[in-house]
Amino acid sequence: MAAAPTLILGLETSCDETAAAVVRREADGRGAILSNVVLSQVKDHAPYGGVVPEVAARAHIRHLGALARQALDEAGLQAADLSAVAATAGPGLMGGLLVGHTFGKGFALAQNLPFIAVNHLEGHALTPRLLGPCPFPYLLLLISGGHTQFQLVKGVGDYTRLGTTIDDALGEAFDKTAKLLGLGYPGGPQVEALAKSGDNTRFDLPRPLKGRAGCDFSFSGLKTAVREIVQAQDAVTDQVRADICASFERAVSETLADRTRRAMAMFREACPEAATPAFVVAGGVAANARLRATFTEVAAAQGFSLMVPPFHLCTDNAAMIAWAGAERLALGFSDGLDVAARARWPLDTVSPPAVGRGRLGAKA
Ligand code: KG4
Ligand code: ZN
């Protein structure tokens, strides 16, 4: 274990956010964010209705150097003060990963610092420990544009996947629903806003896999059902849109409640000694207030303590990458400069891939 505090520069370029941050980790495990800069490319991709890998990679190249400089400046540090450099090495879009990963290696080499290749999902998974005490084991639900999975987090680098989507990610389902309704990208916030004025009982949407054993997800049927409802309307008025959004949100909320109860039961079986374990929800979809209310209810009923990081730490950022690097460094892990970036990199390297997984997109 490192005896002195460590200072880690983190770099994140796996999708459509270019980000750099510096965190400090005390020898006793406490964390602090000294700087955290994120440049969203949402506007660059909005005209295409989704992330364009080549556009993303070029934007990362353009901005990463300046952002790293800014992160050091805001932390009041020089490169020589750092203990290590951590960069996302996967999973994600290869072009962007190579930009951050190569920059990080070059920086580490020039400053003679250890380099840590971080799994982006581990960044999300360990974020609560940066914010306060969050002992292992705990249950993680990651719901973003690219991922939808339950992980049993047993330790740094020690994960068991309990469930995952067999087709679309949840954020993707929100985005596709928004697109079918002629709303902009990203769709989640717009669906949530419209749902507020809608009737959530007007349309009967499926609750995919509800009641089934295990805690896997499937969202492609929900998207198809929304498409069929839209096509069956004489006119897609504002009220129809709002009612579809509200009905969609309710279907998602009930599905998540069912899957979460099952994931919690699986967690209890695997870790009977954990008295009041944390239930951590991360990823952009965790911003949704209706879903948060559902998680609050389910967690309370099942004896878990709900932990949702603040929105800017739920979505992609580099503080989480720096922190995952800090936790790894504290355990004596670092990587050689020959470590490769990986478009696919499951957190749980033991469980076989889910049967019938359909998504072959950016962050599958
Ligand atoms: O974690 P994130 O920022 O990026 C990755 O995909 O990694 O998540 C983005 C996703 C998008 O699909 C977006 O539509 C969804 O999170 N999202 C929401 C909300 N805010 C963002 N979904 C539902 N309700 C929201 N309020
Ligand atoms: Zn992410």
Side-chain angles (χ1 to χ4, degrees), residues 8-15 17 19-23 32-33 35-38 86-88 90-91 118-131 142 144 147 282-283 309 311-328 363:
I8 316 288
L9 172 67
L11 306 167
E12 159 60 34
T13 56
S14 68
C15 194
E17 265 96 20
V22 178
V23 304
I33 300 175
S35 63
N36 187 21
V37 289
V38 182
T88 304
V118 171
N119 183 316
H120 177 90
L121 305 175
E122 180 155 65
H124 282 298
L126 298 179
T127 299
R129 293 168 53 81
L130 162 62
L131 303 173
L142 178 59
S144 70
H147 302 286
F311 184 60
H312 70 284
L313 296 174
C314 257
T315 55
D316 290 350
N317 65 86
M320 71 179 192
I321 302 305
W323 179 252
E327 292 238 49
R328 297 189 77 79
K363 292 179 157 188

Side-chain angles (χ1 to χ4, degrees), residues 50-134:
V51 178
V52 183
E54 180 64 21
V55 171
R58 284 169 190 269
H60 290 309
I61 290 176
R62 227 173 11 253
H63 300 296
L64 185 59
L67 286 181
R69 175 82 266 156
Q70 189 185 339
L72 281 172
D73 288 349
E74 287 183 15
L77 297 173
Q78 307 287 330
D81 300 326
L82 293 169
S83 317
V85 179
T88 304
L93 300 170
M94 199 39 140
L97 288 172
L98 285 173
V99 174
H101 193 65
T102 311
F103 181 97
K105 284 183 188 175
F107 195 105
L109 182 65
Q111 298 297 328
N112 198 21
L113 294 169
F115 175 73
I116 301 152
V118 171
N119 183 316
H120 177 90
L121 305 175
E122 180 155 65
H124 282 298
L126 298 179
T127 299
R129 293 168 53 81
L130 162 62
L131 303 173
C134 186

Side-chain angles (χ1 to χ4, degrees), residues 150-351:
F150 283 109
Q151 294 278 350
L152 164 51
V153 183
K154 289 172 287 185
V156 175
D158 189 1
Y159 302 89
T160 303
R161 191 191 67 224
L162 299 178
T164 183
T165 181
I166 56 171
D167 41 55
D168 293 349
L170 180 54
E172 209 182 348
F174 270 93
D175 294 337
K176 287 179 176 172
T177 294
K179 204 168 182 179
L180 285 166
L181 295 174
L183 307 173
Y185 173 85
Q190 314 208 32
V191 170
E192 176 170 24
L194 272 187
K196 291 201 169 78
S197 55
D199 171 2
N200 67 12
T201 61
R202 175 161 171 197
F203 298 109
D204 193 23
L205 289 164
R207 273 67 170 152
L209 300 186
K210 188 173 170 207
R212 289 279 185 89
C215 60
D216 281 337
F217 297 96
S218 165
F219 292 109
S220 71
L222 198 49
K223 167 193 69 192
T224 307
V226 170
R227 188 190 309 118
E228 283 166 2
I229 288 172
V230 171
Q231 284 167 350
Q233 303 303 308
D234 295 330
V236 182
T237 60
D238 286 350
Q239 193 56 52
V240 167
R241 278 199 191 89
D243 294 345
I244 291 176
C245 288
S247 303
F248 173 84
E249 222 178 55
R250 182 167 144 240
V252 167
S253 160
E254 289 180 16
T255 304
L256 287 178
D258 172 73
R259 303 286 83 191
T260 301
R261 273 185 219 106
R262 282 173 192 271
M264 287 176 169
M266 290 165 80
F267 179 97
R268 293 279 188 204
E269 210 165 290
C271 307
E273 73 291 350
T276 311
F279 173 46
V280 177
V281 186
V285 185
N288 186 290
R290 156 110 209 203
L291 300 184
R292 274 232 285 270
T294 301
F295 294 131
T296 305
E297 256 171 54
V298 174
Q302 307 296 321
F304 279 69
S305 65
L306 179 66
M307 158 73 203
V308 186
F311 184 60
H312 70 284
L313 296 174
C314 257
T315 55
D316 290 350
N317 65 86
M320 71 179 192
I321 302 305
W323 179 252
E327 292 238 49
R328 297 189 77 79
L329 189 72
L331 293 171
F333 300 142
S334 66
D335 295 282
L337 294 182
D338 56 346
V339 62
R342 313 160 64 167
R344 285 166 188 271
W345 185 3
L347 259 188
D348 173 353
T349 50
V350 179
S351 301

